[in-house]
Amino acid sequence: MVRQVWIVMQAALFVSQCAGRGDIVINDFPKGPAPEGVVDLHIAGLFPMEGAWPGGQTLVPATELALSMINNRSDILPGYRLVIHWINDKCWAGLGVHGLHELIFNDTNIKVLVIGAGCSPVSQATAEVSHYWNLVQISPSSVAPSLSDRKRFPLFFRTATAEDTMNNIRIELMKHLNWKRVSIMQEALEIFTTASEPFVQMLAENNFTLQMNLLIQSGDDPRPSIEILQRNDVRIIFGGFYPERATRVFCEAYKLGFYGPKIQWILVGWYDDNWWDYQDPSLYNCTLEQVFIAMDGYLATGAVFFNPLDEVSIAGITSRQYRQMFSDYTNGRILPGIRFAGWAFDCIWAAALSLNKTDGMLASLGQKMRHFYHLDEATTNMIFDNMANIDFTGTMGRVRFDKSGSALGLQKIAQFQGRKIVAIGVFEEEGQRIEEGIIRPFVWRTPDRAPYDGKQVYWYKLVVNKQVYIGMCLLAVCGVILTLGFLIFNVTCRACPIVKMSSPTINNLILMGCVLNYSVVFFAHTSTRSEPEQILAFCMVHNVLLAAGFSLGFGALFAKTWRVHVIFTSVQQNQRKVIKDRKLVFMVLMLVGVNIAILVTWEIIDPKYIVQSQISEQSDMMDADIVYHAFTDTCTSSREMYFISSIYCVLGLLLIVGAVLAWETRQVKVEALNDSQLIGICIYNAVVLSVMGVAVAFVLTDQPSLRYALLAGFIIIGTTFTSCLIFVPKPEN
């Protein structure tokens, strides 16, 4: 295994030398010999002083400050002085592995621990091999989620918070802002892709829609990807870029017009507060002002770098005091990666505390920390266990590690407001419900609301207007009262000659049919909150009442007309025929039975269900992104047309035959049947109103109030006309 590592080291050395990066300069802090009676403990350090992320310019002075304070403490590693030997890895993995090789093999001092690297790719490369020399490694700033893999990086820790732990708060942010559709656009680098993979899964688990997941290869122009987002009306984009690429993304977004109140970017939260100062947008034919316009209001989710509470850390100072001390130490310069100064400071303290506890454990066994060598697996296990159980108050807050060796810290949401990054809220490491204005409120480019994730479609149900419904019901009640009055008169005066000549038994059926017809008016959908079961019940009762009422009323009229026609025909043939009422009643009940049987069969064979039909679309006059869709609930079934056709055929045939009979008997005056001519008029009326009602029912499906008003009006007018024409006294000719 050692030979395999040696081969890896030599390969890295060869690659770095071929790239012109083979010159390794080892820097030491503190310099000079240790005080008398004090033994040096040596630590290897990997810091990026230049390259893609020159954050080592902050990490190094933070490390020096921490070592200075630790070495002056008598209660931490007494009799020892911590010395760090570090190289500039330039944020390049090959050079980092080569530098670690130099620190281990070309330096006579045995290293007890590795600090770094600053960049995640370098940490990934070095942490895969450092454990072969039993070296625990701890990074102050590597955030790649892949570094949480204990099998791949068994001795790795970091005071940095893994980027994928931000996914919880990103989901909470989406819930808070009512976003259901988002997209991802990121560089094809492990630090971003390994964080997005669990995020994509969490989106699915929370019923969010991932519209697009676009990867930008290293060196590729982001413009085509932005054009894809623009063509597909993407509004909410989670971006995964290094600051240099973010500058180009916003530059191209500005050129394409992909910015403004409808577009919202959410980026990683570990950029420097003034990260744009280190970029040169003129390389992409943009000005910094144009970049600002495109990125205005962008959000960032990330870890909290400094304790927001005024707590005293293990170093004896608060977070605020440390920042002032760091500023004095660096002469107030704004350095790249300056927000990682606290994590770097706490990283050295975590290393010192774990070594201090290990030294105490070794002392109890009669051993010394200074006797550590690279095959000393037992001491390495002690350092690892003590590091894993670290728990102290640092400048970043409470410092402790999860099972994967990543720091458990506070999280925050920030926003780019007024040309600076400001914190919106701070949350526990697992994320929690977001409440607006915990620290500062969001500032949106559209007043009073966050950007929408797309066109906002609001659905509303069209039902019968309650005023129209009440008006029609009052008319129907009046009709029922009138019909009941006629019924009482017909029953009490049935022995009167004039009533008896009009067949009171058949008239009773007509009046019963009229009452049922009026009752249909009361069954209409007036509530937008009706349950499907209620709507289906209304539909069923409505159909039964209409079929029974029409069958009774029109069937009785048809029966009387048929009797007039039979008598008229028999008189012409010099025959005398008598058709009694019970035969006519049987005919009417048969007609009712047929229609009811069709309805029952329909319900059994092909039960109805509710269909929501979109009938209109309207944009909001004040906000074009808001669209209102109206819909109606309709009772239907898969074989509906067959059963409706059957009922229409039965009733339609009767209407046609009845109209023909009424026409043929229009001039007939039978003394025994004093209302024969009026019956014909009633049938004509029923035919005309029925045809109009069917037409309205099919045409006005998108206007339920008008449809209901017309149908109810036809029923009320036709029913009232029929009952009045038959029962209201008429003047003699």
Side-chain angles (χ1 to χ4, degrees):
M1 183 64 69
V2 173
R3 176 174 174 80
Q4 293 175 344
V5 176
W6 182 85
I7 293 174
V8 172
M9 289 286 195
Q10 293 302 317
L13 175 61
F14 174 75
V15 171
S16 62
Q17 289 175 338
C18 289
R21 303 182 182 185
D23 295 331
I24 296 295
V25 177
I26 299 177
N27 304 275
D28 300 329
F29 182 87
K31 296 182 180 295
E36 186 177 353
V38 176
V39 177
D40 284 339
L41 282 181
H42 302 278
I43 300 174
L46 303 167
F47 300 116
M49 304 302 290
E50 54 190 289
W53 183 69
Q57 296 179 38
T58 288
L59 304 181
V60 169
T63 298
E64 293 175 351
L65 264 177
L67 288 177
S68 298
M69 299 181 72
I70 292 167
N71 288 335
N72 286 324
R73 292 274 290 261
S74 60
D75 58 334
I76 299 178
L77 292 171
Y80 291 103
R81 183 181 72 159
L82 283 178
V83 178
I84 186 164
H85 308 270
W86 61 272
I87 60 99
N88 173 16
D89 60 40
K90 301 182 181 180
C91 201
W92 194 67
L95 191 58
V97 175
H98 175 42
L100 183 61
H101 174 276
E102 292 291 304
L103 289 169
I104 292 175
F105 289 104
N106 295 337
D107 191 343
T108 58
N109 301 305
I110 298 295
K111 309 302 184 297
V112 297
L113 194 133
V114 178
I115 300 294
C119 296
S120 294
V122 183
S123 289
Q124 292 165 347
T126 55
E128 281 188 309
V129 295
S130 60
H131 64 91
Y132 289 119
W133 285 274
N134 291 313
L135 288 174
V136 172
Q137 182 170 341
I138 179 169
S139 169
S141 56
S142 296
V143 297
S146 59
L147 288 166
S148 298
D149 187 348
R150 268 281 173 247
K151 292 182 179 179
R152 185 177 170 189
F153 312 105
L155 299 181
F156 183 78
F157 291 88
R158 51 180 163 180
T159 47
T161 303
E163 185 62 25
D164 59 342
T165 61
M166 301 300 124
N167 289 334
N168 288 315
I169 200 169
R170 288 165 183 155
I171 293 295
E172 291 300 323
L173 178 67
M174 292 176 59
K175 292 178 180 178
H176 177 70
L177 298 176
N178 295 317
W179 291 336
K180 294 294 184 181
R181 293 167 291 183
V182 298
S183 294
I184 298 173
M185 180 178 172
Q186 60 190 340
E187 289 188 81
L189 298 175
E190 190 174 16
I191 183 176
F192 302 113
T193 57
T194 51
S196 68
E197 289 172 3
F199 181 57
V200 170
Q201 183 177 353
M202 292 176 69
L203 289 174
E205 292 171 353
N206 287 274
N207 297 318
F208 294 130
T209 300
L210 178 63
Q211 293 176 278
M212 294 189 173
N213 190 353
L214 304 177
L215 285 178
I216 306 174
Q217 298 298 326
S218 178
D220 284 357
D221 185 353
R223 185 184 183 92
S225 297
I226 298 174
E227 289 176 338
I228 293 174
L229 297 175
Q230 192 172 35
R231 283 197 303 269
N232 289 275
D233 194 30
V234 171
R235 310 289 185 88
I236 312 300
I237 312 102
F238 283 89
F241 324 107
Y242 277 112
E244 181 181 1
R245 180 52 63 92
T247 303
R248 186 169 186 183
V249 166
F250 286 124
C251 174
E252 296 300 331
Y254 176 83
K255 293 177 185 177
L256 291 169
F258 189 66
Y259 64 89
K262 294 182 179 181
I263 308 301
Q264 184 63 57
W265 290 89
I266 305 96
L267 305 183
V268 296
W270 40 263
Y271 294 173
D272 290 336
D273 287 339
N274 57 336
W275 57 270
W276 48 85
D277 288 342
Y278 307 106
Q279 310 304 319
D280 185 6
S282 64
L283 296 174
Y284 319 117
N285 298 318
C286 281
T287 65
L288 187 58
E289 184 67 27
Q290 291 171 334
V291 172
F292 281 152
I293 291 173
M295 73 183 196
D296 183 34
Y298 86 80
L299 298 176
T301 57
V304 174
F305 292 90
F306 291 101
N307 191 352
L309 302 178
D310 197 30
E311 296 178 307
V312 177
S313 70
I314 194 170
I317 55 176
T318 65
S319 174
R320 183 180 303 175
Q321 290 171 331
Y322 167 71
R323 279 179 280 179
Q324 183 59 51
M325 183 183 297
F326 183 85
S327 179
D328 295 340
Y329 190 78
T330 58
N331 297 318
R333 289 180 296 158
I334 305 299
L335 302 170
I338 194 168
R339 62 172 49 198
F340 289 92
W343 285 4
F345 187 79
D346 292 340
C347 175
I348 303 303
W349 276 93
L353 292 175
S354 63
L355 292 174
N356 180 66
K357 190 169 184 180
T358 302
D359 184 61
M361 296 170 64
L362 290 173
S364 66
L365 299 175
Q367 302 176 24
K368 295 290 184 179
M369 188 73 232
R370 63 187 179 185
H371 296 148
F372 174 80
Y373 62 103
H374 292 310
L375 296 180
D376 188 356
E377 187 174 345
T379 301
T380 298
N381 290 336
M382 290 183 190
I383 298 173
F384 177 87
D385 292 339
N386 291 327
M387 184 76 78
N389 294 316
I390 281 291
D391 192 346
F392 66 92
T393 300
T395 61
M396 62 184 288
R398 187 179 178 186
V399 181
R400 54 202 174 104
F401 302 111
D402 61 18
K403 293 181 180 179
S404 67
S406 298
L408 293 170
L410 298 175
Q411 300 174 353
K412 71 175 180 181
I413 296 174
Q415 188 177 33
F416 181 65
Q417 299 178 2
R419 306 293 174 85
K420 61 181 180 179
I421 306 295
V422 299
I424 302 298
V426 176
F427 312 94
E428 295 296 331
E429 61 268 10
E430 293 301 326
Q432 63 184 34
R433 184 174 179 82
I434 295 173
E435 296 179 4
E436 189 136 353
I438 292 179
I439 296 179
R440 295 188 188 182
F442 292 106
V443 175
W444 307 114
R445 286 163 288 183
T446 298
D448 303 325
R449 70 165 176 83
Y452 293 134
D453 60 1
K455 283 190 176 295
Q456 301 300 292
V457 179
Y458 294 95
W459 294 85
Y460 64 96
K461 185 191 296 186
L462 284 180
V463 295
V464 175
N465 183 275
K466 288 187 177 180
Q467 285 74 18
V468 174
Y469 174 76
I470 292 172
M472 289 299 172
C473 287
L474 289 176
L475 292 176
V477 168
C478 294
V480 171
I481 294 173
L482 179 65
T483 303
L484 292 177
F486 289 151
L487 183 62
I488 293 171
F489 170 79
N490 195 59
V491 172
T492 56
C493 301
R494 63 182 179 278
C496 296
I498 193 171
V499 175
K500 188 174 183 180
M501 291 174 61
S502 184
S503 301
T505 302
I506 306 302
N507 289 341
N508 287 341
L509 294 180
I510 294 174
L511 292 172
M512 290 173 60
C514 289
V515 171
L516 293 179
N517 285 338
Y518 284 127
S519 300
V520 173
V521 177
F522 298 105
F523 291 89
H525 304 150
T526 61
S527 175
T528 58
R529 299 181 180 180
S530 298
E531 296 295 329
E533 294 78 10
Q534 294 175 311
I535 298 175
L536 289 173
F538 264 49
C539 289
M540 182 176 66
V541 174
H542 178 277
N543 291 341
V544 170
L545 289 176
L546 187 60
F550 190 86
S551 299
L552 280 174
F554 180 78
L557 289 173
F558 174 82
K560 293 180 73 172
T561 303
W562 176 75
R563 181 163 62 181
V564 171
H565 185 271
V566 170
I567 294 174
F568 171 67
T569 303
S570 64
V571 170
Q572 287 183 332
Q573 297 176 356
N574 297 319
Q575 297 177 355
R576 181 179 179 83
K577 289 186 178 181
V578 178
I579 301 176
K580 296 185 177 182
D581 285 352
R582 63 173 176 271
K583 187 173 183 180
L584 300 181
V585 171
F586 178 76
M587 289 176 59
V588 174
L589 294 181
M590 281 291 292
L591 176 61
V592 174
V594 169
N595 287 326
I596 297 299
I598 293 174
L599 291 176
V600 172
T601 305
W602 184 1
E603 194 64 32
I604 294 174
I605 296 178
D606 189 27
K608 294 184 181 64
Y609 54 86
I610 301 298
V611 171
Q612 292 184 342
S613 303
Q614 178 183 336
I615 58 178
S616 68
E617 177 180 321
Q618 183 178 3
S619 296
D620 191 284
M621 296 182 64
M622 303 298 293
D623 193 336
D625 276 338
I626 299 178
V627 178
Y628 297 99
H629 285 291
F631 70 93
T632 57
D633 284 335
T634 306
C635 299
T636 187
S637 63
S638 56
R639 301 182 182 87
E640 179 182 50
M641 189 54 62
Y642 299 110
F643 292 99
I644 290 179
S645 299
S646 300
I647 295 175
Y648 282 176
C649 285
V650 172
L651 297 179
L653 182 61
L654 285 175
L655 283 173
I656 294 172
V657 174
V660 172
L661 294 178
W663 176 260
E664 291 182 354
T665 59
R666 65 188 183 281
Q667 301 296 334
V668 176
K669 291 185 178 181
V670 182
E671 186 177 352
L673 301 171
N674 58 7
D675 56 0
S676 57
Q677 287 185 315
L678 300 177
I679 294 172
I681 297 175
C682 291
I683 290 178
Y684 295 145
N685 175 62
V687 172
V688 173
L689 292 178
S690 296
V691 172
M692 293 175 63
V694 171
V696 167
F698 279 100
V699 173
L700 296 179
T701 56
D702 59 341
Q703 300 182 57
S705 294
L706 179 59
R707 181 174 183 265
Y708 167 77
L710 290 176
L711 291 177
F714 291 157
I715 292 173
I716 293 171
I717 292 172
T719 304
T720 304
F721 181 81
T722 298
S723 60
C724 289
L725 196 61
I726 293 177
F727 292 98
V728 172
K730 276 76 63 180
E732 295 183 2
N733 293 334

